[in-house]
Amino acid sequence: MIYPSVSIESKAYWTGLTNGELLLQECTDCGTIRHYPRPMCDNCYSFGHRWIKASGDALVYAWTECHHAFHPSFAELTPYTLVTATLKEGPRLMAPLAQPPKRDLYLGMKLKIEFNQVSSDLTLPIFKAT
Ligand SMILES: [Zn+2]
């Protein structure tokens, strides 16, 4: 398996996932919450930020069924559903759906973030339909 590259900006994010927390950056100058981790606020261009813990609540924004493994690490998972969801805090996050929901997905469907421990030092977010 190829691991994500951890940068100085994303280290807290990956550590948070390992601890069962989805952490988001909040700009300390304008309050904009952003994801994925990056050094600068795209609203006011400030470098100031603090980490906040996401609630884990999200709504389906879009999804796709993946039948082709675009990377060998995902071959065992196919077919799987990849969801883009709007987090309660505002930013969108793309992650796999943990298991098929009892009914068809629909736009605005409620999801909850869960954590998939891939190895002792890698945990990835996944969505679960509520
Ligand atoms: Zn800002």
Side-chain angles (χ1 to χ4, degrees):
M1 170 160 210
I2 296 178
Y3 279 61
S5 59
V6 177
S7 66
I8 193 167
E9 292 86 19
S10 68
K11 185 172 180 19
Y13 170 75
W14 295 111
T15 301
L17 291 175
T18 300
N19 295 328
E21 296 180 334
L22 178 67
L23 299 179
L24 304 170
Q25 290 176 308
E26 181 182 53
C27 176
T28 52
D29 287 297
C30 75
T32 298
I33 299 171
R34 63 184 187 257
H35 179 77
Y36 56 92
R38 51 192 179 269
M40 183 187 294
C41 175
D42 52 5
N43 183 54
C44 75
Y45 309 113
S46 168
F47 286 98
H49 75 273
R50 67 182 184 106
W51 292 95
I52 62 169
K53 182 181 171 183
S55 64
D57 297 323
L59 301 174
V60 172
Y61 179 78
W63 72 91
T64 188
E65 296 288 330
C66 299
H67 294 270
H68 175 75
F70 292 97
H71 186 277
S73 297
F74 297 102
E76 292 179 15
L77 301 175
T78 56
Y80 63 95
T81 304
L82 188 62
V83 177
T84 299
T86 305
L87 302 174
K88 183 178 180 182
E89 292 77 14
R92 292 193 181 112
L93 174 75
M94 184 184 294
L97 192 65
Q99 58 189 14
K102 293 177 180 156
R103 56 185 174 165
D104 289 341
L105 288 174
Y106 57 89
L107 298 179
M109 183 178 188
K110 290 183 179 178
L111 301 173
K112 194 78 179 171
I113 290 283
E114 294 193 344
F115 302 92
N116 177 24
Q117 184 177 1
V118 177
S119 67
S120 62
D121 57 352
L122 178 63
T123 301
L124 299 173
I126 55 173
F127 288 115
K128 184 173 184 180
T130 59

